[in-house]
Amino acid sequence: MRTSDSGSVSAAQALPVWEGREKIVQRIQENDTVILVGETGSGKTTQVPQFLLHAGLVTVSEPGMIAITQPRRVAATSLARRVASEMHCSDPATLTPKASTSDTKDLVGYSVRFDDRTTKHTRIKFLTDGMLIREVLGPLRPDGSTKKRASHSGLLKRYNVLIIDEAHERSLRTDMVLGLAKKIQKERRRRIHDGDTSLPPLKIVVMSATIDAQAFATFFGGESRVPILYVSGRQHGVRLYHTQESCQDWTDAAVRTVMQIHVSKPLGDILVFATGQEEIESMAQSLQLLSTQLDAWAAEEGHEGVPALLIRPLYAALGPAASAAVFTPTPAHTRKVVLATNIAETSITIPGVRYVVDSGLVKEKVFSPQTGIETLQVLPVAQSSSLQRAGRAGREGPGECYRLYTREAFRALQPMPVPEIHRTELSGAALQLYTMGLDPFTFDWIDPPESSLLQEAVVHLAELGAIASDTDGVTLTALGRKLALLPVTPSYARLLVAAAERGPHVASQARDLVSILSVDRSIFVELHDAEKRDLAEQAREVFVDASGDHATMLNALRAYLTQQAHAFSSHTQPSAARQEVRMWCQSHYIHERTVKNVLAIRKQLTRICHQHGIACEDDEAKPTSHGVDQDNDDDEEEDALVVTRSSWRMGATEKGQYTDLLQCLGMGRLSNTALRQPDGSFRRVAGGQTFKLHPSCILHPSKHGARGASYDSVQAIVFEELVLTSQTFARTVSKIEPAWLQEWLHPPS
C-alpha cells in the first residue's frame, strides 16, 4: 500500500507526536479509551489516524473505519485533504460516494453537512460532530416514523476507532458525542460479552489541546482507570506586547499593527485573530488598498525592500479550496497575512506564522432562558484562548504576539471559556435525543446544562408540535420525527414541512430560503463605505420585495439562476459564460461564492426533500452540471449549475407571491415574532424584549420613503437573529400580518 514517500515521512518524523507513536498505539490497543493531550502543532490530529491504520486497527481489505470528529467543517475538510496528501491518496474534495478509483486512492474522506466525500474504500474519515450524531440517529421513513432498525443500528458499527478531537473546546455537539460515544461503547462491549462476534469493540480516543484532561478520564473511566498521554508541543518563546490603553476601534488598530510589523520586522507570516467574516473582509479590503501604496509608504517611513503582502482570509463560510490557500507556502519575498476567526486557535496549524495580532475578542451566540432569545455578541476571550492565540507565533521559531488590549484587561479575563452547552439554545439537541429515545434531562452529559435551558428547549419543541406531554412524560410526535430527519434546525425543518403542505411551489420557495439561511453569510456584499453602500442598494433595488429581506434574497437567488442560464445558453465557451455571471454578481454586489454555497446546499436539500416526500415544483427538471468544484475561483472553474432558461425566469408574477411562504416561516419562528410599538421599535411576542431594525433591513424606516411605501404598514415582523452592539437590532426581517399571530398563538381546536 503506497501511503507516503521519503519527503512526507521525514516531515512527519519532525513532529513531536512521532516520538511517542509506539506508546500511543500500544495504549490504544490495550485500552478501550485513551485521553491524548497535545498542543496544537504537535501533529496528533493528522498523524494518530495514520499510526492506527499502519498498526492494523483498521485494514484496507476489511470493512471498518477510523472516525475523527471536528467541531468545525473547515477543520474537517482541510485536515482530511492534508492527510490525504501525506498518504498520496485522492483529494477528498474530488470524491463522490458512488465514484471510486482504487482501494489505495480513496482511503481518506470527509463528511460535513450537505457534503459527503467518502467511498466504500474510505478508512480514515474526518467528520463534524453533527454528522456523527446524525449517523447515530439512523434512517427514518419519509412519513416520519422510524424504520425497523437493524440490531446494530445506532451503534456506529462502521467504526473501529472513534477519535473525538478538540474536546477541550466543549462545543454542544462535542458534549453530545462524548455522551453518545460512552453509551455506544458500553453497549457494544455488552453485546460482545454476550457472544456477538459481528460487532467489533469501539476504541475511543479523546484528544485535547489543554492539560485539563482529568474530567474526560473520569467521565469515561468511572471506577476504571483511563490512561492520559501527553505529547509535548513544538513551542518557542513568544514575546508579548500589550497596548497602553484600550482600543476604541480594534479593526483599525489591527490593520495599523499589521502594517507596522510588515515594514519593520523580518520576514514571517502574520496571523490576525478577528471576530467574524464581516470584520475580516473589511480588514482585507483595507490591507489590499494599503498594499498598493506600500512602496510609497515604506519610502516615507525610511524602509527599503519591503516585501509584497499576500492577504488570506479564513472563516467558516469559505469552502475547502479557498481555505486550502491559507496553508500553501508563502512565495519568496512575500509576507502572508492570515485573517482568521478563532478556528485558528487550536483546530488547525498554519505554517510560517511568526507574528500574531490578537483582538482579544470572539463572536458567540448567547442564549438567555429568561428572555428566550439568542443574540450574537462580541465578547472578550478567556485567558486560555488568549494563551493559545499567542502560542501560534512560536510553532516554528521565536515569535511575537501583539495584543490589542492592556495587560490589566488580560488579567481580568475569565480563566476558561464558558462551554457552549451553558450559553446556547438546545432545542435541536433535545429533538435529536428524543428521537434516539433518550431524555435530555437524564442524558449522560459530561457537564449537564442548566435545567432552565432544557426547559426552554422543550417549550420551543412543543410550540413546533414536535413533542407532546402525557402521563408517561414527553413523547416525540409524528411531526417531531419528520423534523428530526431534516439536517437543519427544528425551526427550518418546521418551515419545510409546513410549506410542503401548501404545495410544490411553496415547498420550492422554502427549500431555497432554507438554503440561503443555512450559509454562514449573506448573499449580499456588506459594505462599510457609505457611498459604495448607496450604490449597492441602488443596484439591488431590482430584487427588493415589499415584504422584506427573506423574499428579497429569494428574488436575488432566482435572478442569479436566470442570469446563469442566459449566460450559458448565449456563449459557446463556458469560461465566457462564467465571466458574464461573475460580472453580473459584481455589478449587483452579490457574493458569488456564497451563492455557489447556497446552490450546493440547495442541491442536497432537493435530494433530501425528495427522499422524505417533500415535493418541489422543479423536481422534474434535471439540471445539467458542468461538473465543478464549487470552491474553485479561477477561470478554469466549472462550478455552474446549468438550468433551462424557462425553469428559472423570474417575472412579475413571481415577485410578491410569498404570502404562503411567510406564513410557514412564522409557524417555525414563533419565538422570533414581534409587534411594532408606538415609538417605532418592536417588542417580541414571547419575552417582551424591545429592539430596532438593523439599518441593512429592507423594512428599515429610512428606506420606505424612497420606495413610496409607508413604515406604518409594518405592524408585525418575523426575524432571524438579534445582534447586540450598543443597541439591540434585528436582522433578516420580513413583514407578517398581526392576524397570523393570533392564529398561531390560538389555533382553532
Side-chain angles (χ1 to χ4, degrees):
M1 179 173 62
R2 179 173 177 246
T3 58
S4 60
D5 59 16
S6 59
S8 59
V9 168
S10 61
Q13 290 175 346
L15 293 169
V17 74
W18 183 270
E19 187 176 335
R21 69 191 184 283
E22 293 181 358
K23 180 175 286 188
I24 291 171
V25 171
Q26 179 184 354
R27 288 290 185 269
I28 293 173
Q29 289 174 328
E30 295 173 345
N31 298 274
D32 286 344
T33 304
V34 171
I35 314 299
L36 179 61
V37 179
E39 296 177 0
T40 303
S42 63
K44 63 184 186 301
T45 305
T46 58
Q47 301 307 309
V48 170
Q50 297 183 63
F51 295 164
L52 300 181
L53 180 65
H54 289 305
L57 275 80
V58 169
T59 63
V60 174
S61 59
E62 298 179 3
M65 281 190 283
I66 300 167
I68 309 97
T69 67
Q70 294 292 324
R72 301 178 180 88
R73 60 181 292 142
V74 172
T77 57
S78 62
L79 288 167
R81 299 182 81 180
R82 178 172 176 178
V83 171
S85 175
E86 291 182 3
M87 296 177 61
H88 291 271
C89 294
S90 301
D91 182 350
T94 66
L95 299 179
T96 59
K98 293 183 180 179
S100 154
T101 52
S102 71
D103 58 353
T104 60
K105 283 295 186 179
D106 297 355
L107 291 178
V108 184
Y110 66 76
S111 180
V112 298
R113 190 172 70 147
F114 303 123
D115 193 9
D116 181 14
R117 303 288 180 161
T118 59
T119 74
K120 64 181 181 180
H121 299 303
T122 300
R123 294 296 179 266
I124 295 177
K125 178 178 175 180
F126 288 83
L127 71 168
T128 55
D129 300 318
M131 289 304 297
L132 188 76
I133 292 169
R134 297 209 71 83
E135 291 189 21
V136 178
L137 271 173
L140 299 176
R141 291 184 183 277
D143 62 3
S145 61
T146 308
K147 283 185 178 180
K148 184 176 181 181
R149 298 166 71 91
S151 61
H152 295 150
S153 180
L155 294 181
L156 301 176
K157 183 183 178 181
R158 292 190 293 175
Y159 303 113
N160 295 20
V161 182
L162 173 59
I163 299 175
I164 305 171
D165 199 12
E166 305 297 337
H168 62 277
E169 288 198 14
R170 296 289 313 284
S171 73
L172 169 60
R173 290 188 176 89
T174 299
D175 279 8
M176 287 185 67
V177 166
L178 289 168
L180 291 170
K182 179 181 177 181
K183 177 179 179 295
I184 291 168
Q185 184 187 59
K186 182 178 180 180
E187 177 62 17
R188 282 169 62 160
R189 188 186 300 130
R190 182 191 68 79
R191 295 196 183 197
I192 293 170
H193 182 268
D194 291 345
D196 189 341
T197 59
S198 66
L199 194 63
L202 178 63
K203 300 284 188 180
I204 297 175
V205 181
V206 180
M207 299 205 298
S208 172
T210 62
I211 61 174
D212 185 22
Q214 188 57 51
F216 300 118
T218 302
F219 178 69
F220 279 97
E223 297 180 359
S224 304
R225 180 176 172 168
V226 172
I228 302 175
L229 305 180
Y230 294 91
V231 178
S232 62
R234 189 168 50 191
Q235 184 65 50
H236 300 269
V238 176
R239 186 170 183 177
L240 297 175
Y241 298 91
H242 295 81
T243 60
Q244 296 298 315
E245 298 178 355
S246 299
C247 296
Q248 299 300 314
D249 183 349
W250 72 264
T251 57
D252 178 66
V255 169
R256 285 188 285 107
T257 303
V258 167
M259 296 307 297
Q260 288 168 0
I261 294 171
H262 185 57
V263 300
S264 63
K265 297 289 184 177
L267 270 180
D269 295 339
I270 303 172
L271 172 60
V272 181
F273 283 99
T275 53
Q277 173 189 327
E278 184 177 346
E279 293 79 10
I280 286 173
E281 291 180 345
S282 174
M283 287 191 292
Q285 290 177 1
S286 298
L287 289 170
Q288 292 285 12
L289 177 62
L290 289 172
S291 66
T292 62
Q293 307 166 355
L294 198 55
D295 291 338
W297 188 39
E300 183 178 337
E301 295 290 324
H303 302 287
E304 295 182 359
V306 176
L309 204 59
L310 181 64
I311 313 300
R312 289 285 183 256
L314 182 63
Y315 48 81
L318 291 176
S323 302
V326 168
F327 305 98
T328 56
T330 306
H333 200 61
T334 302
R335 191 193 304 275
K336 181 166 59 183
V337 180
V338 178
L339 307 174
T341 60
N342 60 342
I343 185 178
E345 277 182 24
T346 58
S347 294
I348 54 177
T349 298
I350 302 171
V353 172
R354 292 296 180 91
Y355 307 95
V356 165
V357 178
D358 180 15
S359 66
L361 301 169
V362 63
K363 189 175 289 186
E364 294 179 338
K365 286 187 175 181
V366 179
F367 180 76
S368 168
Q370 290 74 33
T371 64
I373 197 67
E374 195 170 54
T375 56
L376 190 63
Q377 301 182 22
V378 176
L379 302 170
V381 297
Q383 287 185 358
S384 61
S385 298
S386 180
L387 294 173
Q388 287 285 349
R389 292 181 176 190
R392 305 299 89 208
R395 289 296 175 234
E396 298 180 0
E400 298 177 357
C401 175
Y402 296 81
R403 290 173 170 167
L404 304 181
Y405 46 97
T406 64
R407 198 178 301 274
E408 292 72 23
F410 171 79
R411 296 192 185 107
L413 297 174
Q414 59 185 7
M416 300 291 292
V418 177
E420 187 181 10
I421 197 169
H422 297 304
R423 56 174 173 79
T424 195
E425 203 272 332
L426 300 177
S427 63
L431 178 61
Q432 290 178 324
L433 290 174
Y434 280 129
T435 306
M436 298 176 202
L438 303 174
D439 185 343
F441 289 91
T442 59
F443 180 69
D444 194 2
W445 301 101
I446 188 172
D447 183 12
E450 295 291 333
S451 59
S452 58
L453 286 170
L454 286 174
Q455 288 165 358
E456 184 67 30
V458 169
V459 169
H460 181 53
L461 292 177
E463 287 179 349
L464 296 177
I467 58 174
S469 298
D470 54 28
T471 55
D472 297 327
V474 175
T475 58
L476 194 67
T477 65
L479 174 60
R481 296 185 192 280
K482 287 184 179 180
L483 303 186
L485 63 87
L486 296 167
V488 292
T489 65
S491 293
Y492 292 159
R494 184 69 182 95
L495 163 61
L496 288 169
V497 172
E501 296 171 353
R502 303 201 179 203
H505 178 68
V506 182
S508 65
Q509 291 179 335
R511 176 208 56 198
D512 291 354
L513 179 59
V514 170
S515 300
I516 292 171
L517 296 174
S518 294
V519 294
D520 294 306
R521 65 175 174 184
S522 171
I523 62 174
F524 296 131
V525 177
E526 296 186 7
L527 300 164
H528 300 278
D529 181 86
E531 184 176 346
K532 290 184 178 180
R533 189 165 55 243
D534 290 341
L535 290 173
E537 290 182 359
Q538 292 174 22
R540 295 196 291 245
E541 188 69 23
V542 66
F543 310 133
V544 169
D545 188 276
S547 66
D549 297 312
H550 296 91
T552 297
M553 291 189 297
L554 278 171
N555 287 341
L557 178 63
R558 298 296 176 95
Y560 173 91
L561 288 165
T562 300
Q563 178 63 31
Q564 186 185 64
H566 175 267
F568 277 90
S569 64
S570 302
H571 295 279
T572 57
Q573 293 296 324
S575 58
R578 288 192 290 271
Q579 180 63 20
E580 179 179 320
V581 173
R582 185 173 293 114
M583 295 301 295
W584 181 88
C585 288
Q586 292 175 359
S587 65
H588 290 86
Y589 296 88
I590 287 178
H591 275 296
E592 187 178 13
R593 183 195 300 279
T594 303
V595 175
K596 291 177 178 180
N597 291 341
V598 168
L599 293 179
I601 293 172
R602 179 182 174 278
K603 182 179 180 181
Q604 295 293 328
L605 268 181
T606 299
R607 178 180 57 81
I608 292 166
C609 287
H610 180 74
Q611 290 173 347
H612 300 295
I614 298 177
C616 298
E617 65 179 350
D618 52 349
D619 279 350
E620 298 302 319
K622 298 294 183 183
T624 333
S625 172
H626 280 275
V628 269
D629 177 358
Q630 72 195 55
D631 298 305
N632 193 353
D633 277 335
D634 57 33
D635 289 337
E636 296 304 315
E637 71 174 341
E638 298 193 354
D639 176 26
L641 175 68
V642 177
V643 295
T644 60
R645 211 170 153 188
S646 58
S647 297
W648 295 109
R649 181 180 290 115
M650 183 186 69
T653 57
E654 178 69 23
K655 293 184 70 174
Q657 292 191 353
Y658 294 110
T659 300
D660 285 344
L661 176 68
L662 293 175
Q663 288 179 335
C664 296
L665 179 65
M667 294 172 66
R669 310 289 283 170
L670 269 176
S671 59
N672 282 29
T673 56
L675 292 169
R676 185 180 166 187
Q677 302 302 296
D679 64 356
S681 65
F682 286 85
R683 181 184 294 272
R684 284 185 63 237
V685 172
Q689 298 77 36
T690 58
F691 55 85
K692 296 180 179 180
L693 302 187
H694 193 273
S696 64
C697 294
I698 295 297
L699 297 180
H700 191 270
S702 66
K703 300 177 182 179
H704 273 70
R707 299 192 180 107
S710 171
Y711 185 55
D712 293 336
S713 65
V714 185
Q715 293 298 319
I717 60 169
V718 58
F719 61 91
E720 290 302 319
E721 65 176 355
L722 293 182
V723 180
L724 182 63
T725 55
S726 57
Q727 302 181 67
T728 304
F729 293 102
R731 299 192 65 162
T732 314
V733 177
S734 288
K735 178 172 60 173
I736 59 176
E737 295 297 330
W740 300 351
L741 286 173
Q742 292 296 322
E743 180 182 343
W744 299 330
L745 295 171
H746 306 287
S749 56

